[in-house]
Amino acid sequence: MQIRPESFDDRAAVYAVTHAAFTGIDPMVEPDEVGLLQQLFDCAGYDARFSIVALDDAVVIGHVIATWGKIGRQPMLGLGPLAVAPEYQHRGVGSILMQQIHDAAESAQLSGIVLLGSPGYYHRFGYEPASRHGIIPSDPTWGEHFMVRVFDRDALPRGEFRYASPFGC
């Protein structure tokens, strides 16, 4: 497996992996995550350093992205979506992608990353409820599903987090 930053030429494969990973009962219905990704790639919050693909030979099998949002005037990354092709799930691909995006964030000396997701899945990567750190979701119904991975507790901003505009919140 190879891990590297996503490039424009990867996008069709990234959309296909995301479609496969998030498809519901009807595979003919485009998952919301695919449209979201299309918008994230084109928005001001996109930063190529935080869009990473996993490949098996030359085939994209997974992708993770984090885009710039804000707490007040302070920029902060919001992670998601994370997608792994179904035939590669439960084989560590998602874990490797998460480690890579965390390494990129720490390398950029960021204080943390927030996400909206399943606590049962993301706790293993060091995520905890963001409210414990004074980070409030833009939608209060998110509750414990709105989490943060802290890299620098002292520099972590507090307040309401706003995702990049394509998230619509």
Side-chain angles (χ1 to χ4, degrees):
M1 181 172 28
Q2 179 187 5
I3 305 293
R4 64 166 171 74
E6 163 266 326
S7 71
F8 182 81
D9 292 341
D10 296 321
R11 297 215 176 144
V14 166
Y15 299 143
V17 165
T18 303
H19 179 93
F22 286 96
T23 201
I25 295 169
D26 185 352
M28 298 305 290
V29 175
E30 185 83 315
D32 292 340
E33 290 80 2
V34 175
L36 174 62
L37 265 179
Q38 292 168 335
Q39 292 176 34
L40 288 173
F41 286 139
D42 291 332
C43 82
Y46 172 76
D47 185 329
R49 297 176 297 170
F50 305 108
S51 183
I52 301 168
V53 291
L55 300 104
D56 184 3
D57 290 324
V59 178
V60 173
I61 61 169
H63 175 253
V64 66
I65 189 170
T67 49
W68 291 106
K70 290 187 176 185
I71 294 181
R73 294 178 188 238
Q74 291 192 336
M76 187 165 189
L77 287 177
L79 189 139
L82 164 67
V84 175
E87 61 272 24
Y88 287 89
Q89 291 176 4
H90 309 290
R91 294 171 58 183
V93 176
S95 295
I96 291 169
L97 287 167
M98 290 298 291
Q99 184 60 54
Q100 289 294 310
I101 204 142
H102 292 158
D103 290 350
E106 285 187 292
S107 171
Q109 298 180 322
L110 302 181
S111 60
I113 298 178
V114 298
L115 63 75
L116 179 62
S118 169
Y121 181 76
Y122 288 103
H123 280 298
R124 73 177 94 178
F125 303 114
Y127 284 85
E128 55 190 311
S131 60
R132 290 184 192 163
H133 297 279
I135 301 174
I136 310 304
S138 56
D139 183 338
T141 64
W142 294 346
E144 69 175 19
H145 296 274
F146 183 65
M147 297 173 281
V148 64
R149 164 74 190 263
V150 178
F151 301 117
D152 182 348
R153 204 169 297 281
D154 296 331
L156 196 66
R158 285 154 178 62
E160 184 179 319
F161 178 78
R162 291 276 180 198
Y163 276 100
S165 61
F167 282 95
C169 46

